[in-house]
Amino acid sequence: MADVELVLRSTRVVTPEGTRPAAVAVTAGRITAVLPYDGPVAAGRTEDLGDDVLLPGLVDTHVHVNDPGRTEWEGFWTATRAAAAGGITTLVDMPLNSLPPTTTVEHLRIKQRVAADKAHIDVGFWGGALPDNVKDLRPLHEAGVFGFKAFLSPSGVDEFPHLDQEQLARSLAEIAAFDGLLIVHAEDPRHLQAAPQQGGPKYADFLASRPRDAEDTAIAQLVAQAKRLDARVHVLHLSSSDALPLIAAAKADGVRVTVETCPHYLTLTAEEVPDGASEFKCCPPIRESANQDLLWQALADGTIDCVVTDHSPSTADLKTDDFATAWGGISGLQLSLSAVWTEARRRGHTLEDVVRWMSSRTAELVGLADRKGAIEAGRDADFTVLAPDETFTVDPAALQHRNRVTAYAGRTLYGVVRSTWLRGERVVADGEFTKPRGALLARPQ
Protein backbone atom coordinates (compact mmCIF):
# COMPACT_ATOMS: atom_id res chain seq x y z
CA MET A 1 0.00 0.00 0.00
CA ALA A 2 1.30 3.43 -0.94
CA ASP A 3 1.23 6.66 1.03
CA VAL A 4 -0.01 5.23 4.35
CA GLU A 5 0.50 7.93 6.95
CA LEU A 6 -0.32 5.99 10.12
CA VAL A 7 -0.74 2.39 11.22
CA LEU A 8 -2.25 1.45 14.57
CA ARG A 9 -1.71 -2.16 15.60
CA SER A 10 -3.60 -3.94 18.37
CA THR A 11 -4.20 -7.53 19.34
CA ARG A 12 -7.84 -6.52 19.86
CA VAL A 13 -9.52 -4.34 17.25
CA VAL A 14 -13.32 -4.14 17.33
CA THR A 15 -14.53 -4.29 13.72
CA PRO A 16 -17.96 -4.96 12.19
CA GLU A 17 -16.80 -8.55 11.62
CA GLY A 18 -15.78 -9.03 15.26
CA THR A 19 -12.80 -8.44 17.50
CA ARG A 20 -9.45 -9.58 16.13
CA PRO A 21 -5.77 -8.70 15.92
CA ALA A 22 -5.34 -6.11 13.17
CA ALA A 23 -3.32 -3.25 11.76
CA VAL A 24 -5.43 -0.24 10.85
CA ALA A 25 -4.02 1.93 8.07
CA VAL A 26 -4.88 5.63 7.94
CA THR A 27 -4.30 8.26 5.25
CA ALA A 28 -5.68 11.80 5.07
CA GLY A 29 -7.86 11.25 8.13
CA ARG A 30 -9.63 8.18 6.76
CA ILE A 31 -9.21 4.47 7.36
CA THR A 32 -7.78 3.01 4.16
CA ALA A 33 -7.55 -0.64 5.20
CA VAL A 34 -7.90 -3.05 8.11
CA LEU A 35 -5.02 -5.49 7.63
CA PRO A 36 -3.62 -8.59 9.35
CA TYR A 37 -1.83 -7.71 12.57
CA ASP A 38 1.56 -8.99 11.45
CA GLY A 39 1.33 -7.95 7.81
CA PRO A 40 4.10 -5.71 6.48
CA VAL A 41 2.89 -2.16 5.94
CA ALA A 42 5.13 0.76 5.07
CA ALA A 43 3.84 3.80 6.91
CA GLY A 44 5.03 7.20 7.93
CA ARG A 45 4.26 6.29 11.55
CA THR A 46 3.36 3.06 13.32
CA GLU A 47 2.08 2.65 16.86
CA ASP A 48 1.64 -0.70 18.55
CA LEU A 49 -1.09 -0.58 21.17
CA GLY A 50 -0.34 -4.04 22.48
CA ASP A 51 -3.37 -5.63 24.15
CA ASP A 52 -5.27 -2.38 24.62
CA VAL A 53 -8.50 -2.49 22.63
CA LEU A 54 -8.95 -0.26 19.59
CA LEU A 55 -12.58 0.85 19.32
CA PRO A 56 -14.28 3.23 16.92
CA GLY A 57 -14.74 6.60 18.55
CA LEU A 58 -18.10 6.89 20.29
CA VAL A 59 -20.91 9.01 18.85
CA ASP A 60 -23.02 10.72 21.52
CA THR A 61 -26.19 12.15 20.02
CA HIS A 62 -27.62 13.66 23.22
CA VAL A 63 -25.49 16.39 24.80
CA HIS A 64 -26.48 19.74 26.33
CA VAL A 65 -23.47 22.00 25.81
CA ASN A 66 -25.38 25.15 26.92
CA ASP A 67 -23.13 27.47 24.91
CA PRO A 68 -23.70 30.42 24.39
CA GLY A 69 -25.89 31.93 27.06
CA ARG A 70 -25.40 29.47 29.91
CA THR A 71 -21.71 28.83 29.35
CA GLU A 72 -21.15 28.87 33.11
CA TRP A 73 -23.06 25.56 33.08
CA GLU A 74 -20.78 23.98 30.45
CA GLY A 75 -19.40 25.16 27.09
CA PHE A 76 -17.93 23.73 23.89
CA TRP A 77 -14.35 23.87 25.20
CA THR A 78 -15.03 21.93 28.39
CA ALA A 79 -17.72 19.61 27.02
CA THR A 80 -15.63 18.45 24.08
CA ARG A 81 -12.55 17.94 26.28
CA ALA A 82 -14.63 15.81 28.65
CA ALA A 83 -16.05 13.87 25.71
CA ALA A 84 -12.60 13.25 24.25
CA ALA A 85 -11.29 12.12 27.64
CA GLY A 86 -14.11 9.57 27.70
CA GLY A 87 -13.56 8.19 24.21
CA ILE A 88 -16.27 10.19 22.44
CA THR A 89 -15.21 11.64 19.07
CA THR A 90 -18.55 13.02 17.83
CA LEU A 91 -21.37 14.70 19.72
CA VAL A 92 -24.65 16.27 18.65
CA ASP A 93 -25.67 19.27 20.71
CA MET A 94 -29.21 19.73 21.96
CA PRO A 95 -31.05 22.92 20.98
CA LEU A 96 -31.99 24.07 24.47
CA ASN A 97 -30.31 25.42 27.59
CA SER A 98 -28.23 27.65 25.35
CA LEU A 99 -29.39 31.22 24.75
CA PRO A 100 -30.64 31.56 22.12
CA PRO A 101 -32.04 28.06 21.59
CA THR A 102 -31.39 26.47 18.19
CA THR A 103 -34.86 27.15 16.78
CA THR A 104 -34.05 29.32 13.75
CA VAL A 105 -31.28 29.32 11.18
CA GLU A 106 -29.97 32.58 12.64
CA HIS A 107 -29.70 30.95 16.07
CA LEU A 108 -27.97 27.92 14.54
CA ARG A 109 -25.36 30.18 12.94
CA ILE A 110 -24.72 31.88 16.30
CA LYS A 111 -24.07 28.52 17.93
CA GLN A 112 -21.83 27.36 15.09
CA ARG A 113 -19.72 30.50 15.36
CA VAL A 114 -19.29 29.97 19.09
CA ALA A 115 -18.32 26.31 18.65
CA ALA A 116 -16.00 26.74 15.66
CA ASP A 117 -12.68 27.26 17.44
CA LYS A 118 -13.46 25.47 20.71
CA ALA A 119 -14.33 21.93 19.64
CA HIS A 120 -11.83 19.19 20.48
CA ILE A 121 -14.05 16.64 18.70
CA ASP A 122 -16.59 16.77 15.87
CA VAL A 123 -19.84 18.55 16.71
CA GLY A 124 -23.27 18.56 15.06
CA PHE A 125 -26.51 20.23 16.06
CA TRP A 126 -30.16 19.39 16.64
CA GLY A 127 -32.83 21.96 15.91
CA GLY A 128 -35.80 22.62 18.16
CA ALA A 129 -39.53 22.22 17.48
CA LEU A 130 -41.58 24.80 19.40
CA PRO A 131 -45.27 25.68 19.27
CA ASP A 132 -44.59 28.75 17.09
CA ASN A 133 -41.70 27.76 14.80
CA VAL A 134 -43.18 25.31 12.28
CA LYS A 135 -42.12 27.75 9.53
CA ASP A 136 -38.51 27.44 10.66
CA LEU A 137 -38.26 23.65 10.54
CA ARG A 138 -37.57 23.17 6.84
CA PRO A 139 -34.99 26.00 6.70
CA LEU A 140 -33.20 24.46 9.69
CA HIS A 141 -33.27 21.07 7.99
CA GLU A 142 -31.77 22.58 4.85
CA ALA A 143 -29.14 24.36 6.98
CA GLY A 144 -27.90 20.99 8.23
CA VAL A 145 -29.43 20.18 11.62
CA PHE A 146 -29.71 16.45 12.22
CA GLY A 147 -33.34 16.58 13.33
CA PHE A 148 -35.62 18.34 15.80
CA LYS A 149 -36.05 18.10 19.56
CA ALA A 150 -39.46 18.52 21.16
CA PHE A 151 -40.82 18.24 24.68
CA LEU A 152 -44.28 16.91 25.46
CA SER A 153 -44.08 18.29 29.01
CA PRO A 154 -42.42 21.47 30.37
CA SER A 155 -38.71 21.56 29.54
CA GLY A 156 -37.53 23.42 32.61
CA VAL A 157 -36.53 26.56 30.69
CA ASP A 158 -39.06 29.19 29.63
CA GLU A 159 -37.54 29.83 26.19
CA PHE A 160 -38.22 26.25 25.07
CA PRO A 161 -41.95 25.54 25.61
CA HIS A 162 -43.43 22.07 25.12
CA LEU A 163 -45.84 20.92 22.43
CA ASP A 164 -49.41 19.84 23.12
CA GLN A 165 -50.85 17.06 20.99
CA GLU A 166 -52.22 19.40 18.31
CA GLN A 167 -48.90 21.25 18.08
CA LEU A 168 -47.05 17.93 17.95
CA ALA A 169 -49.22 16.86 15.02
CA ARG A 170 -48.47 20.09 13.12
CA SER A 171 -44.73 19.93 13.70
CA LEU A 172 -44.53 16.22 12.92
CA ALA A 173 -46.51 16.64 9.69
CA GLU A 174 -44.09 19.33 8.53
CA ILE A 175 -41.04 17.26 9.48
CA ALA A 176 -42.49 14.16 7.78
CA ALA A 177 -42.96 16.19 4.59
CA PHE A 178 -39.17 16.35 4.16
CA ASP A 179 -38.54 12.99 5.89
CA GLY A 180 -36.81 14.60 8.83
CA LEU A 181 -36.43 13.16 12.31
CA LEU A 182 -38.27 14.28 15.44
CA ILE A 183 -36.64 13.35 18.76
CA VAL A 184 -38.94 13.59 21.75
CA HIS A 185 -38.81 14.02 25.50
CA ALA A 186 -41.85 11.86 26.13
CA GLU A 187 -43.61 12.50 29.44
CA ASP A 188 -47.31 13.34 29.53
CA PRO A 189 -48.00 16.57 31.46
CA ARG A 190 -51.41 15.45 32.72
CA HIS A 191 -49.91 12.42 34.44
CA LEU A 192 -47.17 14.58 35.91
CA GLN A 193 -49.72 17.08 37.24
CA ALA A 194 -51.78 14.28 38.77
CA ALA A 195 -48.80 12.73 40.55
CA PRO A 196 -47.99 13.70 44.15
CA GLN A 197 -45.68 16.72 44.27
CA GLN A 198 -44.33 16.85 47.81
CA GLY A 199 -40.87 18.28 47.24
CA GLY A 200 -38.08 17.99 49.76
CA PRO A 201 -34.99 15.80 50.03
CA LYS A 202 -36.53 12.32 49.84
CA TYR A 203 -35.72 10.55 46.58
CA ALA A 204 -38.79 8.32 46.94
CA ASP A 205 -40.99 11.41 46.81
CA PHE A 206 -39.26 12.68 43.68
CA LEU A 207 -39.60 9.27 42.01
CA ALA A 208 -43.33 9.26 42.76
CA SER A 209 -43.65 12.69 41.14
CA ARG A 210 -42.42 11.35 37.75
CA PRO A 211 -44.42 8.11 37.36
CA ARG A 212 -43.85 5.55 34.66
CA ASP A 213 -47.31 6.09 33.21
CA ALA A 214 -46.31 9.64 32.23
CA GLU A 215 -43.67 8.14 29.93
CA ASP A 216 -45.85 5.27 28.78
CA THR A 217 -48.76 7.51 27.77
CA ALA A 218 -46.59 10.05 25.95
CA ILE A 219 -44.79 7.31 24.03
CA ALA A 220 -48.10 5.73 23.02
CA GLN A 221 -49.31 9.11 21.74
CA LEU A 222 -46.09 9.68 19.83
CA VAL A 223 -46.19 6.23 18.25
CA ALA A 224 -49.79 6.80 17.14
CA GLN A 225 -48.86 10.11 15.50
CA ALA A 226 -45.83 8.59 13.80
CA LYS A 227 -47.89 5.70 12.45
CA ARG A 228 -50.58 8.02 11.12
CA LEU A 229 -48.05 10.24 9.32
CA ASP A 230 -45.43 7.58 8.47
CA ALA A 231 -43.00 9.87 10.27
CA ARG A 232 -39.58 9.16 11.77
CA VAL A 233 -39.53 9.60 15.55
CA HIS A 234 -37.00 8.86 18.26
CA VAL A 235 -37.78 8.41 21.95
CA LEU A 236 -35.25 10.15 24.15
CA HIS A 237 -33.81 8.85 27.45
CA LEU A 238 -36.23 5.98 28.03
CA SER A 239 -36.40 5.06 31.70
CA SER A 240 -39.75 3.22 32.01
CA SER A 241 -39.55 -0.48 31.22
CA ASP A 242 -43.36 -0.54 31.13
CA ALA A 243 -43.21 1.13 27.68
CA LEU A 244 -41.10 -1.64 26.15
CA PRO A 245 -43.95 -3.92 24.95
CA LEU A 246 -45.60 -0.96 23.20
CA ILE A 247 -42.33 0.00 21.53
CA ALA A 248 -41.60 -3.57 20.43
CA ALA A 249 -45.10 -3.89 18.96
CA ALA A 250 -44.76 -0.58 17.12
CA LYS A 251 -41.47 -1.65 15.58
CA ALA A 252 -42.97 -4.99 14.53
CA ASP A 253 -45.84 -3.05 12.94
CA GLY A 254 -43.43 -1.00 10.84
CA VAL A 255 -43.65 2.26 12.74
CA ARG A 256 -40.44 4.21 12.20
CA VAL A 257 -39.51 4.60 15.84
CA THR A 258 -36.12 4.30 17.50
CA VAL A 259 -35.31 4.49 21.19
CA GLU A 260 -32.37 5.45 23.38
CA THR A 261 -31.56 5.02 27.03
CA CYS A 262 -28.74 6.44 29.14
CA PRO A 263 -25.84 5.20 31.26
CA HIS A 264 -27.45 6.41 34.49
CA TYR A 265 -30.56 4.30 33.90
CA LEU A 266 -28.37 1.27 33.19
CA THR A 267 -25.90 1.64 36.05
CA LEU A 268 -27.64 3.50 38.90
CA THR A 269 -30.79 2.46 40.77
CA ALA A 270 -33.40 4.26 42.84
CA GLU A 271 -32.63 2.05 45.80
CA GLU A 272 -29.12 3.47 46.11
CA VAL A 273 -29.87 7.20 45.72
CA PRO A 274 -29.31 8.97 49.05
CA ASP A 275 -31.90 11.47 50.20
CA GLY A 276 -30.85 15.00 49.31
CA ALA A 277 -28.36 13.82 46.67
CA SER A 278 -29.71 15.76 43.70
CA GLU A 279 -26.64 14.95 41.62
CA PHE A 280 -28.79 11.87 40.86
CA LYS A 281 -31.78 13.93 39.70
CA CYS A 282 -32.83 13.67 36.07
CA CYS A 283 -36.13 13.62 34.22
CA PRO A 284 -37.42 11.01 33.67
CA PRO A 285 -35.90 9.64 36.85
CA ILE A 286 -33.56 6.80 37.72
CA ARG A 287 -35.89 3.91 38.59
CA GLU A 288 -35.70 0.65 40.50
CA SER A 289 -33.28 -2.23 39.91
CA ALA A 290 -35.99 -4.52 38.50
CA ASN A 291 -36.80 -1.83 35.94
CA GLN A 292 -33.10 -1.60 35.08
CA ASP A 293 -32.91 -5.34 34.39
CA LEU A 294 -35.66 -4.99 31.78
CA LEU A 295 -33.86 -2.08 30.10
CA TRP A 296 -30.79 -4.28 29.70
CA GLN A 297 -32.92 -7.05 28.21
CA ALA A 298 -34.39 -4.56 25.74
CA LEU A 299 -30.92 -3.44 24.70
CA ALA A 300 -29.94 -7.05 24.11
CA ASP A 301 -32.99 -7.82 21.95
CA GLY A 302 -32.91 -4.52 20.02
CA THR A 303 -36.07 -2.92 21.38
CA ILE A 304 -33.80 -0.15 22.66
CA ASP A 305 -31.46 0.94 19.89
CA CYS A 306 -28.71 2.92 21.53
CA VAL A 307 -27.13 4.45 24.64
CA VAL A 308 -26.31 8.17 24.95
CA THR A 309 -25.40 10.37 27.88
CA ASP A 310 -28.07 13.09 28.01
CA HIS A 311 -25.22 15.10 29.52
CA SER A 312 -27.15 17.95 31.17
CA PRO A 313 -24.95 19.90 33.58
CA SER A 314 -25.57 22.97 35.66
CA THR A 315 -23.67 25.04 38.16
CA ALA A 316 -23.23 23.36 41.53
CA ASP A 317 -25.50 25.82 43.34
CA LEU A 318 -28.50 24.59 41.32
CA LYS A 319 -28.03 21.08 42.70
CA THR A 320 -29.79 21.79 46.01
CA ASP A 321 -30.94 19.09 48.41
CA ASP A 322 -34.60 19.65 47.44
CA PHE A 323 -35.40 17.29 44.58
CA ALA A 324 -38.37 19.40 43.52
CA THR A 325 -36.34 22.56 42.86
CA ALA A 326 -32.86 21.21 42.05
CA TRP A 327 -31.78 21.26 38.41
CA GLY A 328 -32.52 17.93 36.77
CA GLY A 329 -29.60 16.59 34.78
CA ILE A 330 -26.67 14.22 35.09
CA SER A 331 -23.19 14.97 33.79
CA GLY A 332 -21.80 11.88 32.11
CA LEU A 333 -19.67 12.68 29.07
CA GLN A 334 -16.30 11.66 30.45
CA LEU A 335 -17.57 8.57 32.26
CA SER A 336 -20.22 7.09 29.98
CA LEU A 337 -18.09 4.46 28.25
CA SER A 338 -16.55 3.18 31.47
CA ALA A 339 -19.87 3.22 33.34
CA VAL A 340 -21.69 1.26 30.66
CA TRP A 341 -18.80 -1.16 30.15
CA THR A 342 -18.59 -1.86 33.89
CA GLU A 343 -22.21 -2.98 34.05
CA ALA A 344 -22.21 -4.61 30.60
CA ARG A 345 -19.28 -6.89 31.43
CA ARG A 346 -20.94 -7.87 34.72
CA ARG A 347 -24.04 -8.90 32.78
CA GLY A 348 -22.10 -10.90 30.20
CA HIS A 349 -22.10 -8.40 27.33
CA THR A 350 -19.05 -7.66 25.18
CA LEU A 351 -17.27 -4.56 23.97
CA GLU A 352 -18.77 -5.31 20.57
CA ASP A 353 -22.19 -4.80 22.13
CA VAL A 354 -21.10 -1.52 23.71
CA VAL A 355 -19.72 -0.29 20.37
CA ARG A 356 -23.01 -1.18 18.70
CA TRP A 357 -25.05 0.74 21.27
CA MET A 358 -22.78 3.77 21.69
CA SER A 359 -21.15 4.22 18.28
CA SER A 360 -22.61 2.28 15.35
CA ARG A 361 -26.30 2.81 16.06
CA THR A 362 -25.91 6.41 17.15
CA ALA A 363 -24.04 7.13 13.91
CA GLU A 364 -26.89 5.48 12.01
CA LEU A 365 -29.46 7.55 13.90
CA VAL A 366 -28.03 10.82 12.59
CA GLY A 367 -27.12 9.62 9.12
CA LEU A 368 -23.36 9.43 9.68
CA ALA A 369 -22.94 5.68 9.26
CA ASP A 370 -20.82 6.13 6.14
CA ARG A 371 -18.27 8.13 8.16
CA LYS A 372 -18.55 7.25 11.83
CA GLY A 373 -19.26 4.31 14.09
CA ALA A 374 -17.02 1.51 12.77
CA ILE A 375 -13.42 0.58 12.06
CA GLU A 376 -13.49 -0.22 8.37
CA ALA A 377 -12.10 1.22 5.17
CA GLY A 378 -13.61 4.54 4.15
CA ARG A 379 -14.66 5.69 7.61
CA ASP A 380 -13.15 8.58 9.51
CA ALA A 381 -10.11 7.47 11.50
CA ASP A 382 -11.79 8.17 14.85
CA PHE A 383 -10.59 5.81 17.57
CA THR A 384 -10.72 5.11 21.27
CA VAL A 385 -7.91 3.14 22.86
CA LEU A 386 -9.28 1.35 25.92
CA ALA A 387 -7.74 -0.77 28.67
CA PRO A 388 -10.95 -2.67 29.44
CA ASP A 389 -9.71 -4.67 32.43
CA GLU A 390 -8.15 -1.78 34.33
CA THR A 391 -10.18 0.06 36.96
CA PHE A 392 -10.24 3.57 38.37
CA THR A 393 -12.18 5.32 41.11
CA VAL A 394 -14.14 8.36 40.01
CA ASP A 395 -12.66 11.55 41.43
CA PRO A 396 -14.75 14.61 40.52
CA ALA A 397 -11.61 16.77 40.57
CA ALA A 398 -10.23 14.73 37.65
CA LEU A 399 -13.18 15.48 35.37
CA GLN A 400 -12.99 17.92 32.46
CA HIS A 401 -16.63 19.06 32.88
CA ARG A 402 -16.87 22.72 33.79
CA ASN A 403 -18.91 21.86 36.91
CA ARG A 404 -17.54 18.71 38.48
CA VAL A 405 -20.72 17.42 40.04
CA THR A 406 -21.24 13.73 39.31
CA ALA A 407 -23.52 10.93 40.40
CA TYR A 408 -20.59 8.55 39.86
CA ALA A 409 -18.30 10.06 42.50
CA GLY A 410 -16.43 7.37 44.40
CA ARG A 411 -17.53 4.52 42.15
CA THR A 412 -14.94 2.08 40.83
CA LEU A 413 -15.30 1.60 37.09
CA TYR A 414 -13.73 -0.70 34.54
CA GLY A 415 -12.25 0.68 31.35
CA VAL A 416 -9.46 3.25 31.29
CA VAL A 417 -9.37 5.39 28.14
CA ARG A 418 -5.70 5.56 27.14
CA SER A 419 -6.13 7.90 24.18
CA THR A 420 -8.68 9.27 21.72
CA TRP A 421 -8.02 9.95 18.04
CA LEU A 422 -9.89 12.19 15.62
CA ARG A 423 -9.32 11.62 11.90
CA GLY A 424 -5.95 10.02 12.56
CA GLU A 425 -4.69 12.61 15.03
CA ARG A 426 -4.42 11.96 18.74
CA VAL A 427 -6.48 14.58 20.59
CA VAL A 428 -5.92 13.34 24.14
CA ALA A 429 -3.59 10.80 25.75
CA ASP A 430 -3.12 10.21 29.46
CA GLY A 431 -4.88 13.48 30.26
CA GLU A 432 -2.85 15.63 27.88
CA PHE A 433 -4.83 17.44 25.16
CA THR A 434 -3.79 18.84 21.79
CA LYS A 435 -5.26 22.03 20.37
CA PRO A 436 -8.91 21.79 19.24
CA ARG A 437 -9.23 19.76 16.03
CA GLY A 438 -12.98 19.22 15.83
CA ALA A 439 -15.10 20.00 12.78
CA LEU A 440 -18.66 21.24 12.65
CA LEU A 441 -20.87 18.58 11.08
CA ALA A 442 -24.03 18.93 9.06
CA ARG A 443 -26.68 16.38 8.17
CA PRO A 444 -25.73 14.60 4.95
CA GLN A 445 -27.75 15.97 2.05
Side-chain angles (χ1 to χ4, degrees):
M1 296 181 62
D3 301 323
V4 174
E5 297 173 358
L6 170 69
V7 169
L8 295 180
R9 298 184 191 273
S10 169
T11 61
R12 294 183 287 178
V13 178
V14 178
T15 76
E17 293 75 38
T19 301
R20 58 190 172 94
V24 181
V26 174
T27 299
R30 293 289 181 97
I31 300 169
T32 52
V34 181
L35 304 166
Y37 177 79
D38 293 324
V41 185
R45 182 161 54 110
T46 298
E47 294 207 18
D48 195 321
L49 306 173
D51 293 330
D52 287 344
V53 181
L54 188 65
L55 311 175
L58 303 190
V59 178
D60 190 343
T61 55
H62 194 149
V63 180
H64 294 268
V65 177
N66 306 337
D67 197 6
R70 291 191 175 97
T71 312
E72 71 275 14
W73 291 19
E74 191 60 278
F76 284 104
W77 180 270
T78 51
T80 58
R81 281 169 67 95
I88 297 165
T89 53
T90 301
L91 67 79
V92 186
D93 173 58
M94 283 290 165
L96 74 156
N97 298 347
S98 58
L99 293 169
T102 316
T103 52
T104 67
V105 172
E106 179 185 2
H107 293 174
L108 171 65
R109 299 304 182 215
I110 291 171
K111 185 168 286 194
Q112 288 172 327
R113 287 195 295 271
V114 169
D117 61 352
K118 298 178 182 177
H120 289 79
I121 64 169
D122 288 354
V123 174
F125 302 91
W126 296 106
L130 303 184
D132 62 353
N133 81 326
V134 173
K135 68 183 185 307
D136 295 300
L137 300 179
R138 187 181 290 269
L140 277 164
H141 176 77
E142 293 172 350
V145 299
F146 286 91
F148 302 91
K149 167 79 172 285
F151 279 76
L152 300 185
S153 58
S155 70
V157 291
D158 293 340
E159 67 274 4
F160 206 97
H162 70 284
L163 305 181
D164 63 26
Q165 288 299 305
E166 182 178 340
Q167 293 161 345
L168 171 65
R170 285 201 299 269
S171 292
L172 191 54
E174 174 68 6
I175 292 166
F178 51 77
D179 200 32
L181 174 64
L182 182 69
I183 64 173
V184 180
H185 181 122
E187 288 182 286
D188 180 71
R190 293 167 301 175
H191 285 80
L192 296 178
Q193 292 164 4
Q197 304 290 332
Q198 298 192 41
K202 291 186 177 180
Y203 187 74
D205 291 339
F206 171 64
L207 186 60
S209 75
R210 313 291 295 208
R212 297 188 198 193
D213 59 9
E215 278 191 88
D216 306 337
T217 298
I219 291 169
Q221 293 168 339
L222 178 65
V223 164
Q225 297 264 29
K227 182 176 182 179
R228 180 177 64 84
L229 294 166
D230 188 28
R232 296 169 56 216
V233 296
H234 179 72
V235 177
L236 296 169
H237 44 51
L238 179 72
S239 80
S240 171
S241 62
D242 291 351
L244 293 169
L246 167 70
I247 293 165
K251 289 187 170 192
D253 194 31
V255 179
R256 296 197 291 167
V257 57
T258 51
V259 182
E260 70 184 35
T261 193
C262 303
H264 39 276
Y265 302 131
L266 297 171
T267 64
L268 307 173
T269 62
E271 291 90 339
E272 65 186 304
V273 178
D275 288 344
S278 66
E279 62 268 28
F280 290 85
K281 179 183 176 180
C282 55
C283 299
I286 295 165
R287 302 192 188 276
E288 303 84 355
S289 59
N291 181 87
Q292 183 183 92
D293 291 341
L294 294 173
L295 295 180
W296 276 100
Q297 290 179 26
L299 266 176
D301 67 26
T303 304
I304 297 176
D305 297 272
C306 55
V307 179
V308 297
T309 60
D310 188 10
H311 177 75
S312 185
S314 70
T315 52
D317 61 294
L318 297 180
K319 285 292 193 179
T320 68
D321 62 3
D322 184 341
F323 276 101
T325 59
W327 178 256
I330 290 180
S331 297
L333 274 173
Q334 189 167 333
L335 301 172
S336 60
L337 171 57
S338 300
V340 172
W341 169 234
T342 298
E343 186 66 13
R345 75 195 299 275
R346 188 181 75 82
R347 292 175 179 264
H349 296 289
T350 67
L351 276 172
E352 293 170 19
D353 295 325
V354 173
V355 165
R356 184 170 68 254
W357 301 327
M358 301 184 76
S359 187
S360 303
R361 286 184 176 168
T362 45
E364 291 170 6
L365 175 69
V366 293
L368 292 175
D370 62 333
R371 291 185 55 188
K372 310 287 188 181
I375 296 178
E376 65 178 7
R379 308 274 186 130
D380 287 355
D382 298 348
F383 306 117
T384 301
V385 179
L386 185 74
D389 302 316
E390 292 192 17
T391 62
F392 66 99
T393 300
V394 176
D395 176 6
L399 299 178
Q400 297 294 325
H401 307 149
R402 174 157 289 155
N403 293 282
R404 295 165 179 176
V405 176
T406 174
Y408 299 99
R411 295 174 74 93
T412 297
L413 302 179
Y414 279 89
V416 172
V417 175
R418 300 276 199 220
S419 61
T420 302
W421 301 65
L422 185 68
R423 288 186 297 281
E425 297 289 341
R426 188 164 24 215
V427 293
V428 61
D430 300 320
E432 296 295 323
F433 292 84
T434 65
K435 66 180 182 180
R437 297 180 182 274
L440 302 186
L441 304 179
R443 176 190 54 80
Q445 299 295 322

